[in-house]
Amino acid sequence: MLTQGGAQPQKYPLRVGAGKAKIELSESLFPIEGFGGVHDDLYVRAVLLDAGFPFLIVCFDATSLRPYAIDAFRAQAAETAGIPQEDVWLCVSHTFSAPHLRSEEAIAREGGEVARKNEVLFASMTAAMQAAIAQAKDGLEETQPVIGNAYCSVNVNRDMRTAQGWWLGADDLGESDKTVPFVKFLRPDGQTKTVLYSCDVQSSVMDHSKGADGYSQVTGDLVGAASRFIEEQYGDDFVALFLLGAAGDQAPLFKAKHNILNRDGSIEETDIGDEGFVLVNALGKKLGAQVVQAMERVKQPFQPENATLRQTTVNCPGQRIAPNLRDIRPTKSYDFQPGEERTVSVSCFTLGHVALVGLGPELSSTTAIDIKKDSPYPLTIVATMVNGGDKYMPEHTAYDRITYEAMNSKFARGAAEQVARHITETLKSIRNEPLAVSR
């Protein structure tokens, strides 16, 4: 039912369900993509909300998802939940230490063992997703939402100035949003049922780090450790679902394989191997503990009297990525070439005081800061790599600096600012609407 004009808004009870299931990785998969085994398990988490219409968020412990996987998973998620596909967000925790689903081109080209392993991995991810969604659907119950922000310095701007130009590392003076927004949902008895939380950080502590045996280990990395810590604090059936923030130019504070600058400005690469898991646990527990403490500080729920889910698109200037980009190192000279205009899909889910914004491109942290600052909602979460990824969409200074993200972007200078304006205008339009519930 839609309520318009001067009528009293319809108050729908907010029902929420949550589920979690392990992605089973059989020994027959290994070795795969340089991984020799599993250090800690990967999961699929799902949160289903019903505030007059259904809205499902599914998060895979994965680096990214191929378009064919997005299409298949989204269709299966909708079928399992019994809802329309447009009401589904597929997200990733963006752990860099998980095997990828291979591209259709790679499967056709290599076939054989590559195709077999891809089929096994795809089936495992599908089964975990179905189990998590089924739990969420079965566990639907009336809840009350509570919003808040934690603060945690587990992330750092990864664009580092070197003698050769800007490159990947750590710049403590660079822009980096340390806030960790969250929405927790309370059962009728006042106990916390589940939480959605977000942080501008890549889960890449162990990215390309090799152990003594020459292999990497599969891990949920920083975010996996954070979610496990939160869930352990609240009980076996608790689900802490992570929404990847604007982490395009953000890295974990410490990484096992990392670049440092010498006195002369040259880059030195170091890999501490398996010792890096100490960093994973330390940073993950630090993030998880800050979320838990902030959750315990905020108690006052709000009445979600209105909910919307709005899908929009915005056209942005594009650029061509150099075919030899893999060979490009830090540089002070780069010819940015214009490319075809690109269309970005934006999904906005609002619930009372909360706005969840989902889009595919990996934004810079400063772009999300600007969106949150201009948003009319008390709490705005900007989630990236939603329903697919579109690589980096850097803010304008990245093109002046010739950063890795700027050279590796399909979007030209100004795209991020255009998308930010579109999002804030959309949120302001929704906020001013008299509708109680709309899609």
Side-chain angles (χ1 to χ4, degrees):
M1 179 185 295
L2 304 182
T3 304
Q4 304 187 39
Q8 290 296 313
Q10 175 71 40
K11 294 184 179 181
Y12 289 92
L14 172 64
R15 297 194 304 148
V16 172
K20 178 180 71 171
K22 183 172 72 172
I23 300 174
E24 299 288 350
L25 301 179
S26 65
E27 291 185 6
S28 66
L29 274 176
F30 298 98
I32 182 173
E33 289 190 287
F35 295 105
V38 177
H39 179 273
D40 54 87
D41 293 324
L42 304 179
Y43 289 88
V44 177
R45 292 173 172 86
V47 172
L48 177 61
L49 300 94
D50 188 341
F53 63 90
F55 176 54
L56 173 65
I57 305 175
V58 180
C59 181
F60 291 81
D61 279 340
T63 311
S64 59
L65 296 174
R66 301 282 183 182
Y68 74 86
I70 289 286
D71 292 342
F73 287 154
R74 207 172 179 206
Q76 185 60 64
E79 181 180 336
T80 303
I83 65 176
Q85 283 192 45
E86 57 266 28
D87 294 341
V88 177
W89 275 16
L90 290 189
C91 310
V92 292
S93 65
H94 205 36
T95 173
F96 280 45
S97 293
H100 292 79
L101 288 170
R102 302 298 297 275
S103 69
E104 292 173 301
E105 294 78 12
I107 295 169
R109 181 178 63 249
E110 300 179 33
E113 192 70 358
V114 169
R116 182 193 70 79
K117 289 184 178 182
N118 195 77
E119 185 177 342
V120 171
L121 179 59
F122 186 88
S124 296
M125 295 174 73
T126 300
M129 179 191 69
Q130 291 173 309
I133 295 172
Q135 291 174 30
K137 185 177 180 181
D138 291 343
L140 275 171
E141 61 181 326
E142 189 169 337
T143 64
Q144 289 184 303
V146 180
I147 60 175
N149 277 293
Y151 181 91
C152 192
S153 53
V154 294
N155 55 335
V156 66
N157 195 295
R158 69 176 188 162
D159 292 332
M160 176 177 67
R161 192 171 191 169
T162 77
Q164 296 78 38
W166 289 81
W167 200 239
L168 301 176
D171 180 6
D172 290 287
L173 297 178
E175 288 282 358
S176 186
D177 190 355
K178 310 297 185 183
T179 57
V180 184
F182 65 86
V183 187
K184 70 174 184 177
F185 299 92
L186 303 180
R187 292 187 173 96
D189 63 3
Q191 297 300 307
T192 307
K193 179 182 181 69
T194 189
V195 65
L196 305 174
Y197 74 107
S198 181
C199 182
D200 293 355
V201 67
Q202 292 180 340
S203 209
S204 58
V205 176
M206 299 303 294
D207 179 29
H208 282 93
S209 179
K210 303 294 185 183
D213 60 358
Y215 286 107
S216 299
Q217 294 294 304
V218 170
T219 172
D221 209 274
L222 190 161
V223 167
S227 291
R228 284 198 308 274
F229 179 88
I230 298 168
E231 290 164 350
E232 288 167 359
Q233 297 294 304
Y234 289 95
D236 292 339
D237 62 343
F238 192 87
V239 174
L241 189 148
F242 177 77
L243 292 168
L244 176 66
D249 61 349
Q250 303 295 301
L253 183 59
F254 301 112
K255 298 183 66 172
K257 187 175 183 179
H258 56 279
N259 294 330
I260 59 173
L261 286 181
N262 293 315
R263 180 182 178 185
D264 61 1
S266 63
I267 301 172
E268 180 180 330
E269 186 178 79
T270 301
D271 184 1
I272 62 173
D274 290 337
E275 294 178 16
F277 283 107
V278 174
L279 303 177
V280 170
N281 290 328
L283 292 175
K285 287 185 176 181
K286 178 181 175 69
L287 175 57
Q290 290 299 321
V291 172
V292 168
Q293 291 304 310
M295 286 170 62
E296 290 302 299
R297 286 195 297 269
V298 292
K299 305 288 186 180
Q300 187 59 44
F302 65 88
Q303 177 62 45
E305 294 182 347
N306 58 319
T308 66
L309 181 59
R310 190 67 44 84
Q311 316 283 354
T312 64
T313 59
V314 54
N315 294 325
C316 302
Q319 69 178 22
R320 294 199 296 270
I321 298 178
N324 63 332
L325 186 66
R326 290 183 180 274
D327 302 324
I328 295 176
R329 300 298 293 174
T331 179
K332 295 182 179 180
S333 176
Y334 184 81
D335 186 18
F336 290 103
Q337 291 290 318
E340 293 183 358
E341 188 176 65
R342 303 192 65 83
T343 300
V344 176
S345 297
V346 178
S347 180
C348 297
F349 174 76
T350 66
L351 180 70
H353 302 324
V354 178
L356 305 182
V357 178
L359 68 166
E362 298 175 60
L363 302 178
S364 299
S365 193
T366 51
T367 303
I369 290 173
D370 290 341
I371 293 171
K372 294 173 186 177
K373 180 181 66 178
D374 294 335
S375 171
Y377 288 84
L379 186 85
T380 300
I381 293 177
V382 179
T384 61
M385 298 188 73
V386 173
N387 290 331
D390 214 354
K391 295 196 74 66
Y392 305 109
M393 182 183 277
E395 42 79 34
H396 66 97
T397 61
Y399 297 86
D400 297 328
R401 294 174 172 178
I402 315 180
T403 65
Y404 171 83
E405 296 87 22
M407 290 188 286
N408 201 24
S409 175
K410 301 174 184 177
F411 300 95
R413 181 197 301 267
E417 290 72 26
Q418 187 172 339
V419 166
R421 288 192 298 271
H422 173 82
I423 289 172
T424 55
E425 288 170 2
T426 301
L427 293 178
K428 289 174 182 177
S429 174
I430 295 172
R431 191 69 163 170
N432 291 330
E433 288 177 358
L435 298 178
V437 175
S438 65
R439 299 162 75 178

